[in-house]
Amino acid sequence: MKGTSPAIPDQVDVLVIGGGINGISAFRELALQGVDVVLMERDDFCSGASAALSRMVHGGLRYLENGEFRLVRQSLQERDRLLKNAPHCVSPLPTVVPISSWIRGTLPTIAGFFGARVKAHRRPGLMIRAGLLLYDLLARHSRTMPRHRGLSRAALRKMVPGITGSAVGGVLYFDARVSLPERLGLEMVLDTEADSEARAFSYTEITGIEAGKIRWRDRLNGASGSITPRVVINATGAWVDIVGSAIQPGANAKRVHGTKGSHLMIRNPELQAALGDHMVYYENHDGRICIAFAHAGAAMVGSTDILIDDPDAAVCLDDEKSYMLEALANVFPTVRVSEEQIVHTFTGVRPLPVSEQGATGRISRDHSVDVEPAGLQPFAVLTLIGGKWTTFRVFGEEVADLALAELGRAREVDTYDLKIGGGRNLPTDACERTAWINRCAAATGMSEARFSVLVSRYGSRAETVAAFISEGDDAVLASAPDYSRREVLFLIEHERVREIGDILLRRTTLGIEGRISAALTSEIAALLGAASGWSDEETSEAVARFNETIQHRHRVQH
Ligand SMILES: Cc1cc2nc3c(=O)[nH]c(=O)nc-3n(C[C@H](O)[C@H](O)[C@H](O)COP(=O)(O)OP(=O)(O)OC[C@H]3O[C@@H](n4cnc5c(N)ncnc54)[C@H](O)[C@@H]3O)c2cc1C
């Protein structure tokens, strides 16, 4: 199978542990400077928190009330960079905030800003508008989107039909969304490997240290070995303390205490119609912010924020479901959601710093790096703490600069304007785009409609995907006719696929759309098994592993 990983070296300048968005970002930064770097991820790339986000690429309006102005400014800048550098994946997201009172709640909101512990309360419209004035101001240098504006009660109801009658008005502002965050992470791995000698290995777990060498194990084929790095970047998110004590036995630092967050994918026509193209950003009775917007053919509703000790135990529990449905019913009182309409759930753990804050929402969402020079252990260790998805580029840049300092090297290139994956050479002008689509469709004998679908999935890489498809006999998947067998084969051969879930949950939106079925699973398993040379028994084992994942972690039964 093409794309099979080369051998893992014995020695390397930098070993990145963890292939979530932040580890991949640091890996990309270092590889671009010509550093000898290897990344190891124990599952698929972007399968931890980086697969569980609310899909918002945002400044974080809510962080203003925690006084995190630097984080908001940086996040807004990164949001605007991503709109330019990854236009195939990141797009504007008009956001509506319903307001229950313009003034009530002002005093507790101000007291909360100054650090007082206050009872749950609704945020007043005036304070939300003040926050948005600041939001607009912080985004002024890289402005890519319109400023916020107020909505009368009538305008709000027109924009979001079905919204609660208790809203006295609303506010409309603009942030952005990412269609498939896992794909963007993977594309950074592919770009990096294409442009450098650096290599990333999925399903390769760091298990400990022996005689100064870091031990790894391939979780799928059982291979194992060791590697000697000069610098280790521990980018394992909610797992940093577990991995930290595995590679530095005796050091039991507690840096991260994650919070679990779940989302529901709901296929309910009334809710989807009410949401239209907007995200609704609303408060629950406990003052927590929830979100809902139409995504991947369903309404995505989230999220919870619950401290959790064991990140591997994070799944969406029934009380979380009830909490999110109750909050949704407060804002859309006439919408009835039945159990069968919940077609998929996903959960992840935010890698938040250990904090004394009582309310999880008050814990800082900012990032930092703990630097331990070589000494006690034979390599320097940089441990990543926190980090939003939105800020991955700048976090990766900061970590890479620290690693370069450890290696005594200087930065040569930066990623500020570097396009990612299918965002490279993607025509953004409507006329140029149509001409490009027509040209590529004609060159590959594909209909323009089909080629446009590929563009919506892969951006400019659609050209390579279409060329691959046209090189052999093709047929649609019987259980997902908007995909074809050769399209899936392309993913298998060129996108580092090793497991069924890599395709259904992370290379495509089929999982989050709630389209996983026994028939689809076995179709994908047959294609992957044939390409990987699996025996029937190995194929059945892969199906069993996938079924366990979706039943346990995504609560999908089929
Ligand atoms: C519910 C929720 C909603 C969120 N919403 C947003 C949002 O809308 N916008 C936003 O910007 N951010 C959001 N975030 C935050 C964002 O998703 C995370 O902060 C970010 O994805 C963290 O990335 P990471 O790479 O640091 O961690 P992860 O993605 O968790 O990656 C860590 C990786 O380390 C691997 N690992 C663990 N142990 C080992 C080992 N022994 N060997 C090798 N690898 C190992 C894990 O498998 C994992 O893949 C949200 C987070 C959650 C949970």
Side-chain angles (χ1 to χ4, degrees):
M1 185 169 80
K2 283 177 210 160
T4 301
S5 296
I8 297 180
D10 298 336
Q11 299 201 337
V12 70
D13 279 340
V14 182
L15 170 66
V16 179
I17 311 177
I21 199 70
N22 286 320
I24 292 174
S25 174
F27 169 74
R28 175 176 80 140
E29 290 281 343
L30 287 165
L32 277 168
Q33 317 310 320
V35 171
D36 175 25
V37 53
V38 160
L39 180 147
M40 294 191 197
E41 160 57 49
R42 71 168 189 176
D43 286 307
D44 187 20
F45 304 114
C46 288
S47 53
S50 303
L53 53 142
S54 302
R55 272 80 183 140
M56 287 153 63
V57 180
H58 63 154
L61 178 60
R62 194 174 61 72
Y63 313 143
L64 290 176
E65 63 187 5
N66 292 349
E68 298 196 89
F69 303 121
R70 191 200 66 85
L71 171 65
V72 175
R73 197 185 58 239
Q74 190 176 60
S75 306
L76 286 167
Q77 175 186 301
E78 291 304 308
R79 175 198 74 183
D80 293 347
R81 296 313 319 150
L82 277 164
L83 282 162
K84 292 196 170 120
N85 292 337
H88 63 310
C89 262
V90 180
S91 54
L93 177 63
T95 301
V96 170
V97 188
I99 284 169
S100 55
S101 159
W102 288 104
I103 297 179
R104 200 170 356 105
T106 302
L107 283 178
T109 305
I110 293 176
F113 179 80
F114 286 106
R117 287 197 179 202
V118 286
K119 278 216 224 129
H121 64 279
R122 295 290 181 99
R123 292 157 184 87
L126 282 179
M127 298 302 285
I128 294 171
R129 287 212 70 170
L132 280 166
L133 274 173
L134 189 56
Y135 209 66
D136 287 340
L137 192 70
L138 292 171
R140 70 191 183 284
H141 292 307
S142 54
R143 174 164 303 290
T144 49
M145 284 184 288
R147 294 175 206 282
H148 85 277
R149 64 184 161 92
L151 298 172
S152 66
R153 182 181 226 151
L156 172 72
R157 293 187 73 74
K158 193 163 170 219
M159 204 168 265
V160 189
I163 202 150
T164 172
S166 67
V168 295
V171 185
L172 172 70
Y173 75 100
F174 294 83
D175 253 324
R177 65 194 291 177
V178 52
S179 50
L180 190 52
E182 301 88 337
R183 165 158 291 286
L184 203 72
L186 172 83
E187 288 184 356
M188 287 202 288
V189 170
L190 298 178
D191 287 354
T192 305
E193 293 190 332
D195 296 345
S196 73
E197 298 290 306
R199 290 293 169 261
F201 300 88
S202 59
Y203 294 98
T204 305
E205 179 175 27
I206 295 304
T207 53
I209 185 164
E210 207 176 282
K213 296 176 179 182
I214 292 189
R215 301 282 313 161
W216 58 263
R217 183 176 68 93
D218 186 312
R219 295 178 60 213
L220 296 181
N221 65 20
S224 62
S226 55
I227 184 164
T228 310
R230 289 174 65 196
V231 178
V232 168
I233 295 179
N234 180 355
T236 52
W239 292 267
V240 288
D241 294 326
I242 300 169
V243 171
S245 35
I247 59 169
Q248 297 165 280
N252 291 318
K254 181 81 185 138
R255 298 172 169 110
V256 163
H257 196 175
T259 67
K260 166 171 87 149
S262 298
H263 291 84
L264 308 176
M265 297 301 295
I266 301 175
R267 230 182 277 141
N268 175 304
E270 196 188 342
L271 178 60
Q272 288 166 252
L275 291 169
D277 293 334
H278 300 98
M279 175 167 92
V280 180
Y281 187 85
Y282 52 100
E283 290 172 295
N284 199 3
H285 287 313
D286 59 4
R288 275 211 65 247
I289 303 287
C290 295
I291 53 127
F293 61 98
H295 181 74
M300 188 180 80
V301 173
S303 66
T304 48
D305 195 10
I306 303 165
L307 279 170
I308 186 165
D309 291 325
D310 177 7
D312 288 310
V315 292
C316 179
L317 299 176
D318 285 341
D319 54 353
E320 286 179 83
K321 265 193 190 179
S322 311
Y323 173 91
M324 288 185 275
L325 291 178
E326 197 185 303
L328 186 70
N330 289 336
V331 76
F332 289 108
T334 57
V335 171
R336 298 276 166 269
V337 175
S338 64
E339 185 65 26
E340 316 77 72
Q341 289 176 332
I342 303 175
V343 293
H344 190 77
T345 72
F346 57 94
T347 302
V349 181
R350 303 173 182 87
L352 303 183
V354 169
S355 164
E356 296 293 306
Q357 289 289 349
T360 50
R362 311 261 331 164
I363 303 173
S364 171
R365 264 49 178 175
D366 210 344
H367 57 251
S368 62
V369 189
D370 225 4
V371 181
E372 294 165 278
L376 284 178
Q377 68 288 320
F379 39 78
V381 181
L382 310 181
T383 303
L384 277 59
I385 302 161
K388 302 282 300 166
W389 191 92
T390 305
T391 50
F392 71 77
R393 191 201 64 83
V394 74
F395 195 13
E397 186 176 74
E398 286 167 26
V399 177
D401 284 343
L402 291 166
L404 289 171
E406 290 294 331
L407 297 171
R409 294 179 61 154
R411 171 173 286 278
E412 288 166 16
V413 242
D414 77 40
T415 47
Y416 191 75
D417 285 319
L418 190 65
K419 305 255 185 209
I420 300 171
R424 290 177 172 181
N425 306 319
L426 180 69
T428 41
D429 169 83
C431 290
E432 278 177 33
R433 194 173 175 117
T434 308
W436 172 68
I437 289 177
N438 294 348
R439 214 172 40 246
C440 294
T444 50
M446 198 172 260
S447 74
E448 281 151 26
R450 168 82 170 122
F451 188 77
S452 299
V453 169
L454 296 183
V455 174
S456 70
R457 290 178 185 154
Y458 310 108
S460 58
R461 294 179 77 239
E463 216 171 322
T464 316
V465 181
F468 178 91
I469 291 173
S470 69
E471 280 162 15
D473 290 340
D474 200 13
V476 296
L477 293 185
S479 34
D482 49 330
Y483 284 82
S484 78
R485 292 169 63 84
R486 283 194 66 80
E487 183 179 348
V488 173
L489 205 57
F490 177 87
L491 303 180
I492 294 172
E493 292 194 3
H494 297 280
E495 295 207 335
R496 310 293 300 278
V497 166
R498 296 187 69 188
E499 286 278 64
I500 296 168
D502 300 354
I503 299 174
L504 290 178
L505 298 171
R506 290 172 291 274
R507 304 298 181 276
T508 69
T509 51
L510 283 160
I512 200 167
E513 286 176 51
R515 292 171 64 188
I516 293 170
S517 63
L520 178 59
T521 305
S522 70
E523 248 186 307
I524 298 293
L527 284 168
L528 181 56
S532 312
W534 289 344
S535 64
D536 288 350
E537 194 188 346
E538 285 169 322
T539 305
S540 305
E541 284 167 7
V543 170
R545 281 195 299 275
F546 176 66
N547 285 341
E548 155 65 19
T549 303
I550 55 155
Q551 282 159 18
H552 181 65
R553 289 195 55 195
H554 299 285
R555 303 198 54 189
V556 176
Q557 304 294 335
H558 62 69

